[in-house]
Amino acid sequence: MATPMELSCWAGDWGLPSVHTDSLIVLAYAKFSGAKLTIEPVDWTWKTLTGTVPALHCEGTTVTEPVQILNFLRKQRYNADYELSAKQGADTMAYIALLEEKLQPALLHTFWVDTENYANLTRPWFASHSPFPLNFFLPSRLASMALSRILLTKGESPLHSIMEVEAKIYSEAKECLNLLSHRLGSSQYFFGNTPASLDAFAFGYIAPLLKASLPSCQLQQHLKQLSNLCQFCDAILKNYFVDRAPGSPPASQDTVDANLQKLTQLVNKESNLIEKMDDNLRSSPQHRPRRADPKPSPLCSERNSTPA
Amino acid sequence: MSLAAEMFVSQIAAAEPWPENATLYQPLKDDQILLSDCASSLAVQAYLRMCNLPINVSYRANAEYMSPSGKVPFIHVGNQVVSELGPIVQFTKAKGHSLSDGLDDVQRAEMKAYMELVNNMLLTAELYIQWCDENTVAEITRLRYSSPYSWPLNHILAFQKQWEVRRKMNAIGWAGKSLAQVYEDVSQCCQALSQRLGTQPYFFNKQPTELDALVFGHLFTILTTQLTSNELSEKIKNYGNLLSFCRRVEQNFFEERDGDSTASSSSRFSKGPSLI
């Protein structure tokens, strides 16, 4: 039973055990089910490029993707859903589908496509957690994957343009957060007093949005109005991750690599600067209309603050 | 549709009553429409029938290109054009016709979640089977999809569509799945729906909602469509309550009007046995 299991995932920050949604889902589920995982962050290794994250290694087999890893853990008798009825199991599937279809596109957009957040938060973070030549290349690769995923799943076919889908995905995401908040109500977890896999998924999606210090944060502000969801995240962090969150393991590594990190951040800032200059050069008249895009946002915030 | 346009539409929509000549457009039912489009179209028809809103069904070879979002079906009501079930539900709501008004907040959240489950699993599985399974592509999809066009346009358009769907499958991580895994996913989804339905007549007991319309559209289409193998419909046939649910919706909303209305002559079979 006690075969050693090793999970490779992105490291933590912002008071979270991991900054990466899928990694966070697996970590939370492992805590809920009592599975002992050895955590091996992929940061500062070449695995950031080649490995699929998160990945669970156990006795020579490798499992990727949160859903598959959760199934694998269940087969190892680490089951957090043991007490759920068949109908609750069905509800779990349905709400996971809701999160994936409605919340994920907006989260990807918030972290990877929104220029301000990407330049000031996401890219510096991922660049400073990748080894030297990759730091120039990895964040933009992840960003283009996120963008193409949004466009392919939400774009309307012939002319895929991010401008047209932005308003739509944000209003859908806000609605999804409202629905989750209604579903959670005043109970501690989604199915009573013990957390199950749906709680792991909801936590994985919501926690980074809640904890990251985003410069452009319309979705985050909406989330902060839904106090029961915020409490739900804080409770999970407090009950299951409290020894880890203030973070001795990342901190110790920090001191070792502090100099290196500072250096990479410096380089990143410089490349940011270069990119901004480049942007300024490019924002000649033909790009003006694109810059004026905050137009739809007041509309949608107006529209969505009412049901909250 | 952009948000501003949506709001504009819903505002003027509220002012006008539902006209008699409302029309739903979909691809040709006998030799063009594909499984996924047929399911979506049937879901919209079922929804409108549940709302008691009359609609004429019109079959056009270029329906996909007429639609404002590039997806079928779409409805033409008064001077507005709305495509896909979600926006159509909002549109009818603006006109004062809604099926989910009686639900409380938690039930509404549940309804939306199950609707996303159907879209996420069943619709994606239908797209996967019709565009990524080589047998189905060669024997059914390519022929039917390109039937209205002559050479070389037929090849170009079918390849373009296939390429687009495959890129989507890649992005959502379905490209690596085998056909068996897709069937397994469908089976899991049906199990969840069956559990949720239980012994109730509709998903939220007595009153049908848009979730019932969506589930009926997909399940009925899968059950009545002949594909290269009948494995997909076998998955549904394992769940007796889903079968009787389909029969119930068909009887209550599609059959009773066969006698009295002319539009229904097309309706009963328009949804059904279409793909060869």
Side-chain angles (χ1 to χ4, degrees):
Chain A
M1 177 133 164
T3 45
M5 289 184 284
E6 209 180 83
L7 183 78
S8 53
C9 62
W10 284 103
D13 202 346
W14 316 330
L16 297 171
S18 170
V19 298
H20 181 237
T21 291
D22 289 352
S23 309
L24 211 47
I25 293 170
V26 177
L27 288 171
Y29 185 84
K31 289 279 179 187
F32 298 162
S33 62
K36 297 263 180 299
L37 302 181
T38 323
I39 290 152
E40 193 171 88
V42 294
D43 307 54
W44 301 293
T45 65
W46 282 80
K47 280 189 194 156
T48 50
L49 181 70
T50 51
T52 328
V53 178
L56 187 74
H57 310 282
C58 178
E59 288 180 331
T61 56
T62 303
V63 195
T64 56
E65 287 189 48
V67 178
Q68 305 299 333
I69 297 178
L70 262 54
N71 282 337
F72 181 83
L73 287 174
R74 273 182 211 121
K75 278 182 200 146
Q76 307 280 317
R77 297 195 212 148
Y78 294 112
N79 193 344
D81 299 343
Y82 193 68
E83 286 172 10
L84 298 189
S85 67
K87 179 177 172 291
Q88 286 172 328
D91 282 0
T92 302
M93 266 183 84
Y95 279 97
I96 291 172
L98 180 74
L99 286 168
E100 222 172 84
E101 293 276 320
K102 299 283 179 188
L103 190 56
Q104 196 186 33
L107 283 181
L108 288 174
H109 187 277
T110 302
F111 282 93
W112 293 104
V113 184
D114 185 293
T115 335
E116 242 180 286
N117 291 339
Y118 176 64
N120 294 317
L121 182 83
T122 321
R123 197 177 55 174
W125 195 93
F126 279 89
S128 66
H129 285 70
S130 323
F132 160 61
L134 290 185
N135 56 355
F136 293 106
F137 161 70
L138 187 86
S140 57
R141 179 163 170 264
L142 292 173
S144 74
M145 274 162 64
L147 179 63
S148 75
R149 176 163 182 154
I150 296 172
L151 288 178
L152 287 169
T153 51
K154 293 287 160 186
E156 293 171 347
S157 51
L159 291 164
H160 291 304
S161 145
I162 191 69
M163 304 290 297
E164 284 160 23
V165 294
E166 259 172 27
K168 186 172 120 194
I169 61 177
Y170 276 106
S171 80
E172 283 182 355
K174 285 172 184 171
E175 192 197 358
C176 171
L177 289 173
N178 290 342
L179 295 174
L180 280 181
S181 166
H182 289 316
R183 173 64 185 76
L184 184 62
S186 57
S187 59
Q188 194 181 0
Y189 299 111
F190 280 93
F191 299 108
N193 290 326
T194 44
S197 54
L198 176 57
D199 300 278
F201 273 88
F203 174 73
Y205 281 102
I206 295 171
L209 183 64
L210 184 65
K211 296 293 173 188
S213 44
L214 297 162
S216 140
C217 56
Q218 51 158 324
L219 198 58
Q220 190 177 40
Q221 273 169 353
H222 186 87
L223 173 63
K224 282 182 175 162
Q225 290 168 12
L226 305 168
S227 58
N228 60 346
L229 288 181
C230 302
Q231 279 163 11
F232 162 82
C233 285
D234 289 334
I236 290 180
L237 281 173
K238 199 171 119 246
N239 296 342
Y240 291 93
F241 292 104
V242 81
D243 50 321
R244 179 175 304 275
S248 37
S252 66
Q253 224 156 349
D254 266 355
T255 50
V256 178
D257 291 325
N259 287 334
L260 189 75
Q261 232 181 320
K262 268 182 199 160
L263 195 73
T264 42
Q265 270 167 358
L266 213 72
V267 174
N268 281 319
K269 269 183 194 157
E270 210 164 319
S271 66
N272 271 349
L273 212 73
I274 292 170
E275 200 163 277
K276 265 186 197 158
M277 282 164 63
D278 203 38
D279 274 1
N280 285 341
L281 282 177
R282 275 190 211 159
S283 61
S284 46
Q286 79 263 33
H287 281 267
R288 275 280 147 69
R290 298 198 160 225
R291 300 252 143 211
D293 80 332
K295 246 187 222 161
S297 68
L299 254 182
C300 76
S301 62
E302 218 175 77
R303 196 168 185 243
N304 285 280
S305 55
T306 34
Chain B
M1 190 165 18
S2 82
L3 216 65
E6 220 169 82
M7 286 180 75
F8 176 71
V9 163
S10 62
Q11 269 171 10
I12 43 173
E16 293 166 17
W18 189 267
E20 278 302 308
N21 62 353
T23 314
L24 179 143
Y25 290 90
Q26 66 166 59
L28 308 177
K29 67 172 172 170
D30 290 327
D31 30 48
Q32 186 195 13
I33 198 167
L34 298 176
L35 181 64
S36 60
D37 293 341
C38 186
S40 308
S41 173
L42 180 59
V44 172
Q45 289 179 44
Y47 174 75
L48 293 172
R49 277 165 182 257
M50 286 171 181
C51 289
N52 233 338
L53 297 170
I55 192 104
N56 304 312
V57 182
S58 174
Y59 304 96
R60 297 289 172 85
N62 60 343
E64 192 182 338
Y65 301 99
M66 292 163 73
S67 163
S69 70
K71 288 178 186 148
V72 287
F74 65 99
I75 57 171
H76 179 193
V77 178
N79 50 8
Q80 285 137 41
V81 178
V82 191
S83 71
E84 296 180 83
L85 183 62
I88 289 174
V89 169
Q90 278 182 2
F91 176 76
T92 57
K93 199 172 185 176
K95 283 199 181 294
H97 304 275
S98 171
L99 295 176
S100 51
D101 274 349
L103 305 182
D104 62 32
D105 285 338
V106 176
Q107 286 176 320
R108 195 165 301 133
E110 211 173 323
M111 183 187 78
K112 291 270 162 81
Y114 277 92
M115 287 178 79
E116 288 316 316
L117 178 68
V118 173
N119 287 332
N120 186 320
M121 291 276 200
L122 286 185
L123 182 64
T124 318
E126 287 162 9
L127 284 173
Y128 179 95
I129 289 166
Q130 75 196 17
W131 289 111
C132 300
D133 171 45
E134 283 305 332
N135 276 338
T136 317
V137 173
E139 285 177 35
I140 298 174
T141 315
R142 216 171 272 156
L143 292 177
R144 288 185 66 95
Y145 186 79
S146 58
S147 62
Y149 314 107
S150 55
W151 188 91
L153 195 59
N154 54 357
H155 291 287
I156 296 170
L157 290 175
F159 274 111
Q160 189 190 7
K161 183 77 182 174
Q162 185 176 18
W163 185 72
E164 203 176 281
V165 174
R166 289 196 172 178
R167 277 187 63 197
K168 186 179 164 176
M169 293 294 159
N170 254 326
I172 58 172
W174 276 54
K177 284 193 183 184
S178 66
L179 200 55
Q181 278 171 310
V182 172
Y183 286 138
E184 180 54 35
D185 281 350
V186 171
S187 180
Q188 273 188 10
C189 174
C190 291
Q191 191 185 3
L193 290 173
S194 161
Q195 292 287 359
R196 175 63 188 77
L197 183 64
T199 53
Q200 306 173 99
Y202 299 109
F203 279 88
F204 292 94
N205 213 357
K206 295 276 156 48
Q207 172 72 26
T209 59
E210 49 259 39
L211 172 63
D212 296 276
L214 184 66
V215 172
F216 170 76
H218 283 274
L219 295 188
F220 193 91
T221 309
I222 291 174
L223 285 170
T224 52
T225 301
Q226 182 77 46
L227 292 170
T228 49
S229 84
N230 52 4
E231 211 162 330
L232 194 60
S233 53
E234 289 301 322
K235 297 286 175 215
I236 300 175
K237 285 181 186 157
N238 290 333
Y239 302 98
N241 61 346
L242 293 182
L243 290 179
S244 46
F245 166 79
C246 287
R247 228 166 278 138
R248 189 175 307 123
V249 175
E250 192 194 9
Q251 275 168 4
N252 291 349
F253 297 100
F254 286 89
E255 277 179 3
E256 61 183 5
R257 276 169 250 188
D258 266 5
D260 56 61
S261 132
T262 46
S264 58
S265 59
S266 60
S267 73
R268 225 209 119 190
F269 290 110
S270 69
K271 50 205 159 92
S274 54
L275 274 191
I276 257 295

